[in-house]
Amino acid sequence: MPQDNKKRGRRMKRKHGEDEDPAVEDSGKRHKSAEDQGDADHLPLPTQDEAYHLQDDSMDAAYPSNDRPFFGMLDEAEQEYFTKANERLVKDDFEDAAERDRELQGILREAEGKELKIAQSQSCSRLMERLIQLATPSQLRTFFQAFSGNFVHLISHRFASHCCEALFLRAAPVVAEELRAPVPKGAGGKVTESSDEIYVSMENLFLHTLAELDGSVGYLMTDQFGSHALRVLLLVLSGEPLNSDESKHLLQSKRKEGVTTVGVQQGEEKSRAVPNSFKDALEKLIVESVAGLDTEKLRALATHPNGNPTLQLLLKLELTQFGKQRAKDETSIIRTLLPNDPITADSGSATFINGLVYDAVGSHLVEQIIQHAPGKMFKSLNREFFKERTAAMARNEIAGYVVCRVLERMGKEDLYEAHEMLVPAIPALLERNRTIVVRSLIERCGIREIDTQAIAAQLDNAMRDENGFDIKKLLKLDQKAQANGESNGAPHDSAHSSTEDASPNFLRPSEPVKLHFNLLAQAMLRVPGPLCSLILDSLTESDPATLQLMSTDPIICRTIQAALTSKFGSIIMKRKLVQRFYGHIGEMALDKSASHVVDCIWEGTHGLAFIRERIAEELNEDEAQLRQSSHGRAVWRNWKMDLYKRRRAEWVKQSKVKASNDGFQSLAEIDMKTGGREGGAAGAGKTALELARERHAKKKAGQDRVAGRTVKQEGPRTGGHDDKERRPDMEGHAASTLPAAA
């Protein structure tokens, strides 16, 4: 028997160039041996009737036995052609766009009439996804018409559901384009008078799809495959962003094998305009999805692995698209889940929330309720349930995320009370590696302008050693492993594995723990005051060797970047930090992680143009090595080193303008001394040095007038203190008083 369909997102990966058994290709599917899944032994080719029953077994939970259609299978030649076509699209080694278009047209002609077979094929459904991603609006309408009448079956299919998702995501922007510029139609609904093509808007195609799903939404909510496509359809109808982090969390699991195509953007990150018919269809879909479900049955979906994400999205769209006053409706989703008004500690709604807070699946629904519930309901939940239990819930790995959502909705007074309860628990939270609550508390205190001195003191005590605040302990720097060459053996290494912590009292931190502690440090750098100073002071006091290890670590290097670009760090602190990297800039530019630190030094030296020139000199010395490395070439390009070598005066001028340091006197200008400017005509705009000289001359003239002295000048005076006439006399004095860059 073939392996059961346990996971939707992971499809068996086929190795390129691997010889396949022709008999297996006839079936359109590769089956694994039940005795040895690792070797994936091929089963004999089943007959058409056997294949039909095998497909039936994988969908028993979705359809009655008499409602499962069979669309046939690709023959051996067809499957070989489409497999090779998919490989060509993945490689994308076409000479130009025209050749790629010809290849696509040939594939589409061959796939015409076989769309349903390809969509349900394990090996060829990826090709269908790529064809949809590369399709034009006209070709998308062709795919909609090919799938029309079978969407219920395709959405619930293990492989075809991915194709339906891709079709919905790709067609969503076309609806917005049609609203902005409707396509003119001729007589009889034709695109043009000379064309036989009947134009159907993408809006109508979506509405026809919804009509097909009418009556099937109930079981699609919990279907292993159909629930994902249903969520995509809900987002398309609402006009919500399709590619935001929150949308991805609701649309797909972490195991999903994404099919990407070169040059194709995966969804939109901003909201879209949708027609009014979509709003009506969305409201009808929400009502239909929970129709006939009482409180007990709807609450059962809260812990269902497939029903919970769908319920989250329905709850969010109901309260954001139709207003929070919808919560007063007795038939609304949130009112059905939490019927008690007001919610008290002894009510059934509080008991329901209490059971979900510590549940790995149900806690996500509680987060959505906290984020989108009306203010009155949230205040009731916070007062009766969360307020006194904040510190206890923060210690739990799952409930801590709920606490973060509660902190985000709190006002200043409630947040200060939560701050007073959580601050004493910070050392215990860090010991348990519960950094998410501490990070959220810091971010919210920065937004609400609450003093963070107490948080800084607790962090200082928790991460202190005999030498003071230990930044290596906070960032989980594994110094011993990196010193042994396990993670920094070559300049191009990006994976830095560790075996033990820098402190002998701590075990080697796992990568997720290390990541969360570095995110905590980055949050501290985004808040003004003692928290930012705690990180910057510790970094500037670290020895250069330690900073080198931090910069080459793929996780910690992001904290170094945040320190260099923090808008709350003083120029003095950033100058001290950058000076720690002197002599190692060329080596860092060759490393995959440290090269990003070198890029951030440019932004971090705002107001320190002479340091920029010092860094550029080091990069120039290692030009040969940098040009041989992809990371080095990126640093060379970002620092505009070609301009530095060919027209150094112009590079210095741009550097000073961007560094906001008009009074800086570069080494090149000292060598030039006086005379014309390089690359500019006489009488053009004044340089920064000339402006500084004029300011000094005016200041000196004012002092002379106060003292009653007269300033002698060569040549006749036409009136007033003409700086242009006085510049030859003041030039030497001004140049001697300005700081030199040497």
Side-chain angles (χ1 to χ4, degrees), residues 54 132 165 177 305 348 356 387 431 484 525 533 562 573 696 712 726 733:
L54 290 177
I132 291 173
E165 290 180 39
E177 293 176 4
L356 294 182
K387 189 173 184 178
E431 185 179 357
N484 292 334
L525 290 166
S533 300
M573 299 299 296
H696 179 81
K712 297 182 180 180
R726 296 179 61 240
H733 180 66

Side-chain angles (χ1 to χ4, degrees), residues 430-482:
L430 296 180
E431 185 179 357
R432 292 168 174 254
N433 298 328
R434 306 286 187 260
T435 61
I436 179 68
V437 175
V438 182
R439 190 174 85 220
S440 296
L441 180 63
I442 291 172
E443 293 172 347
R444 299 309 300 173
C445 287
I447 294 174
R448 298 292 186 184
E449 298 181 350
I450 295 177
D451 187 17
T452 57
Q453 182 65 46
I455 301 176
Q458 291 288 353
L459 287 169
D460 190 8
N461 293 333
M463 298 295 169
R464 177 173 290 274
D465 59 7
E466 61 275 5
N467 298 323
F469 181 75
D470 188 4
I471 188 67
K472 299 186 294 294
K473 184 178 178 181
L474 176 65
L475 302 182
K476 302 299 181 184
L477 176 64
D478 195 353
Q479 213 165 4
K480 291 184 179 180
Q482 295 195 8

Side-chain angles (χ1 to χ4, degrees), residues 470-483 487 496-504 506-509 513-515 517-518 539 542-557 560:
D470 188 4
I471 188 67
K472 299 186 294 294
K473 184 178 178 181
L474 176 65
L475 302 182
K476 302 299 181 184
L477 176 64
D478 195 353
Q479 213 165 4
K480 291 184 179 180
Q482 295 195 8
S487 62
H496 301 283
S497 58
S498 308
T499 55
E500 52 187 351
D501 193 78
S503 173
F506 287 83
L507 298 175
R508 172 193 177 275
V513 171
K514 184 177 183 179
L515 174 62
F517 271 91
N518 278 268
L539 287 175
S542 301
D543 58 278
T546 300
L547 287 175
Q548 293 298 311
L549 290 176
M550 291 181 179
S551 299
T552 55
D553 188 287
I555 296 177
I556 302 179
C557 73
I560 305 298

Side-chain angles (χ1 to χ4, degrees), residues 480-710:
K480 291 184 179 180
Q482 295 195 8
N484 292 334
E486 296 183 14
S487 62
N488 196 24
H492 297 281
D493 289 344
S494 60
H496 301 283
S497 58
S498 308
T499 55
E500 52 187 351
D501 193 78
S503 173
N505 298 326
F506 287 83
L507 298 175
R508 172 193 177 275
S510 62
E511 291 301 306
V513 171
K514 184 177 183 179
L515 174 62
H516 280 286
F517 271 91
N518 278 268
L519 290 174
L520 173 62
Q522 294 166 33
M524 295 169 65
L525 290 166
R526 292 192 296 267
V527 177
L531 289 171
C532 182
S533 300
L534 191 64
I535 299 294
L536 290 175
D537 290 342
S538 182
L539 287 175
T540 54
E541 293 172 0
S542 301
D543 58 278
T546 300
L547 287 175
Q548 293 298 311
L549 290 176
M550 291 181 179
S551 299
T552 55
D553 188 287
I555 296 177
I556 302 179
C557 73
R558 295 184 177 271
T559 304
I560 305 298
Q561 297 172 44
L564 289 169
T565 58
S566 175
K567 61 181 180 180
F568 301 114
S570 64
I571 292 181
I572 297 177
M573 299 299 296
K574 292 182 179 180
R575 184 191 65 193
K576 290 181 179 180
L577 181 58
V578 173
Q579 288 174 345
R580 297 285 183 178
F581 298 114
Y582 282 175
H584 303 281
I585 297 298
E587 178 185 352
M588 293 171 59
L590 298 174
D591 186 87
K592 182 177 181 179
S593 301
S595 59
H596 295 287
V597 177
V598 180
D599 289 337
C600 289
I601 289 179
W602 177 272
E603 183 179 351
T605 52
H606 183 81
L608 301 169
F610 65 96
I611 290 185
R612 286 183 176 177
E613 192 168 6
R614 169 67 183 270
I615 301 298
E617 286 291 344
E618 287 198 36
L619 293 174
N620 191 31
E621 292 174 0
D622 297 323
E623 177 183 1
Q625 297 182 13
L626 294 179
R627 290 191 180 277
Q628 294 176 1
S629 167
S630 60
H631 309 301
R633 289 193 296 270
V635 173
W636 186 272
R637 181 174 59 253
N638 294 336
W639 274 78
K640 300 181 180 179
M641 291 302 297
D642 288 329
L643 180 65
Y644 177 82
K645 288 191 63 180
R646 298 169 184 172
R647 300 193 299 272
R648 182 172 299 189
E650 184 177 346
W651 184 93
V652 171
K653 183 178 179 181
Q654 292 185 13
S655 174
K656 288 186 300 184
V657 171
K658 294 183 179 180
S660 186
N661 191 357
D662 294 341
F664 167 67
Q665 186 180 20
S666 69
L667 295 174
E669 288 173 333
I670 292 177
D671 294 337
M672 292 167 60
K673 296 199 181 286
T674 60
R677 278 162 290 189
E678 212 175 290
K686 299 178 181 178
T687 65
L689 180 60
E690 290 173 343
L691 293 173
R693 288 169 177 168
E694 290 180 7
R695 289 197 298 268
H696 179 81
K698 291 179 181 179
K699 182 178 179 181
K700 183 65 176 177
Q703 292 175 353
D704 291 345
R705 286 196 303 270
V706 173
R709 296 191 299 269
T710 58

